[in-house]
Amino acid sequence: MIKFCIEPFDVLFFGGGKPFNIGSVVQSIEFPFPHTFAGAISSIFQDLPGINENKILKNVYGPFLIKGETLYFPFPANIVKSKNNNTFHCLSLLDENKQILVKSNYTNKIYEPKINESCLFYKGPDEVENFNGFLSLKGLEKWLENEDIDSSYVAHYSEIFEKEGRIGIKIDNQTNTVKDDDALYRIVFSRLKNGWKFVFFVEFDFDNKNNSNIKSRFEGENELVEYLRKVGVIKLGGEMRTASFNVELENFKDYFEQKIELKKDNIYRILFLTYFTLDENSSFDSLSCENNNNFDIIAVASRGLCNLAINSKVLQLTNFTKRALKPGSVFYVKPKQDCIIDVVTFFNKPKNFIGSNLGIIAKEGGN
């Protein structure tokens, strides 16, 4: 696995699934999609003969953030912040055996085999609010162990990003003049503040399972790293802004325990480090991971929905969008059977949106 540390030279624009209208204000989404970075890295190889750049990536992990040597991840949605001071509190899972909030026979889905019948709540004296930011690796380790998180592990969006608005003009490419009378529009870009970089982990397909033919050019990851160091730049975001990158061999999963043993009917928490895609008519009933282990969903904490967007001639998808939960969503689940799984793995892995649905499962508990 190869670790990319990416530092933009300029502002960036990451588009969502919202249509662009001339005359409106367009704003970059809060955090880029994994497939945006995957596409940017794949494009490095488009001029190398014999390599199918659309199939060279096996798995990707990220994007995340890094400052100095410290990694930062999306802040868990089941942690709230006190309004009166800089303390953080974990939401509790309502005991479904004591109080059921919603029964299926009180809804229009009485024939559904299961619907969500529990919720998360804060039990304490403070007035609290949601917190939207990032959690350091040390803080994430605390979360995995069900330990308290303090402000030293936390970074707010305003510490990392700043917004920068610019005016654009829609140009007619044939006449090189302004296309319409109302062709002015405003774009709000994002800029990383000094010291912050994106970090992205890539597992290339050296097994040639996707007929990528990457081994026809590179003997292994060491030779690939040397090539990437000579390239050093990529085009990133909706306006293809230039960013520099450094690479080194590093396995993202080595930051955490490799395996976890799960017991049937015990409660566990899954933190999604990337966007979680939703299928049509998703009922939030169950999850499955790569080893075909299945989980019942007890409750979900999230900061809302967004649209994932992709435009690919290779995949024959034009302006294809899919609904998704934002990174940092937390699922409370029960395994349907005793099992041993990877601590970091993909759940309900999507076909087209590479890198989405990456979750890390916490040890037993969470309620």
Side-chain angles (χ1 to χ4, degrees), residues 187-308:
I187 300 179
V188 180
F189 291 91
S190 289
R191 183 191 292 274
L192 281 180
K193 291 188 175 181
N194 288 338
W196 289 94
K197 301 177 184 178
F198 292 110
V199 61
F200 197 63
F201 297 82
V202 178
E203 192 175 0
F204 286 88
D205 182 30
F206 278 96
D207 297 329
N208 206 34
K209 292 181 178 179
N210 297 321
N211 297 318
S212 62
N213 293 325
I214 194 169
K215 290 195 72 172
S216 66
R217 176 63 175 79
F218 304 100
E219 288 295 326
E221 286 187 325
N222 287 310
E223 188 175 341
L224 178 56
V225 164
E226 292 304 314
Y227 173 78
L228 291 169
R229 285 172 177 165
K230 293 176 183 178
V231 176
V233 294
I234 56 172
K235 298 290 187 179
L236 194 63
E239 296 208 348
M240 302 295 286
R241 300 297 176 112
T242 302
S244 66
F245 66 82
N246 297 314
V247 291
E248 60 182 308
L249 290 175
E250 192 169 306
N251 191 334
F252 172 68
K253 293 185 177 183
D254 287 344
Y255 287 102
F256 311 98
E257 294 181 17
Q258 294 297 307
K259 300 285 184 179
I260 183 171
E261 183 177 358
L262 307 181
K263 297 295 183 180
K264 180 182 178 181
D265 293 331
N266 286 347
I267 296 175
Y268 299 87
R269 296 163 298 146
I270 300 171
L271 169 64
F272 282 95
L273 303 175
T274 58
Y275 291 87
F276 178 81
T277 60
L278 298 172
D279 294 325
E280 281 190 34
N281 303 318
S282 177
S283 59
F284 284 102
D285 280 344
S286 62
L287 288 175
S288 62
C289 63
E290 290 183 300
N291 297 328
N292 295 319
N293 294 303
N294 297 312
F295 303 83
D296 288 323
I297 298 174
I298 306 303
V300 176
S302 177
R303 294 189 183 85
L305 292 165
C306 65
N307 284 335
L308 298 185

Side-chain angles (χ1 to χ4, degrees), residues 14 29 33 54 88 119 149 224 272 296 305 316 331 343-344:
F14 299 109
I29 60 173
F33 304 144
N54 300 298
F88 296 87
C119 72
I149 294 171
L224 178 56
F272 282 95
D296 288 323
L305 292 165
Q316 296 181 338
F331 283 39
V343 170
V344 178

Side-chain angles (χ1 to χ4, degrees), residues 45-212:
F45 304 90
Q46 63 184 356
D47 295 327
L48 293 182
I51 293 181
N52 187 344
E53 74 274 9
N54 300 298
K55 296 183 177 181
I56 60 174
L57 306 185
K58 187 177 179 181
N59 280 313
V60 298
Y61 302 86
F64 309 120
L65 292 164
I66 191 169
K67 186 175 185 180
E69 299 297 323
T70 304
L71 277 171
Y72 285 84
F73 304 94
F75 197 82
N78 70 328
I79 303 291
V80 291
K81 179 182 176 296
S82 173
K83 288 185 176 181
N84 300 321
N85 51 60
N86 210 21
T87 60
F88 296 87
H89 309 278
C90 184
L91 300 178
S92 299
L93 182 63
L94 188 69
D95 189 339
E96 58 184 343
N97 295 320
K98 293 181 179 178
Q99 182 179 1
I100 295 177
L101 297 183
V102 179
K103 292 185 177 180
S104 58
N105 55 333
Y106 295 160
T107 74
N108 61 354
K109 296 191 175 185
I110 59 176
Y111 300 111
E112 291 286 331
K114 177 183 179 297
I115 72 169
N116 230 12
E117 296 180 337
S118 190
C119 72
L120 296 164
F121 72 104
Y122 167 67
K123 182 171 62 176
D126 291 352
E127 187 177 358
V128 297
E129 60 186 355
N130 288 329
F131 179 82
N132 198 11
F134 293 86
L135 186 65
S136 70
L137 177 59
K138 290 291 186 182
L140 180 55
E141 291 170 352
K142 294 281 188 182
W143 185 88
L144 292 171
E145 296 292 338
N146 296 305
E147 297 178 5
D148 292 337
I149 294 171
D150 62 56
S151 58
S152 65
Y153 303 119
V154 176
H156 195 275
Y157 263 91
S158 60
E159 300 175 48
I160 305 167
F161 297 99
E162 58 185 351
K163 300 295 184 180
E164 185 172 323
R166 296 185 180 180
I167 300 297
I169 303 174
K170 181 66 175 179
I171 298 295
D172 188 320
N173 292 329
Q174 294 183 344
T175 63
N176 290 323
T177 60
V178 177
K179 191 169 185 179
D180 300 299
D181 292 339
D182 57 351
L184 283 177
Y185 58 93
R186 185 169 181 260
I187 300 179
V188 180
F189 291 91
S190 289
R191 183 191 292 274
L192 281 180
K193 291 188 175 181
N194 288 338
W196 289 94
K197 301 177 184 178
F198 292 110
V199 61
F200 197 63
F201 297 82
V202 178
E203 192 175 0
F204 286 88
D205 182 30
F206 278 96
D207 297 329
N208 206 34
K209 292 181 178 179
N210 297 321
N211 297 318
S212 62

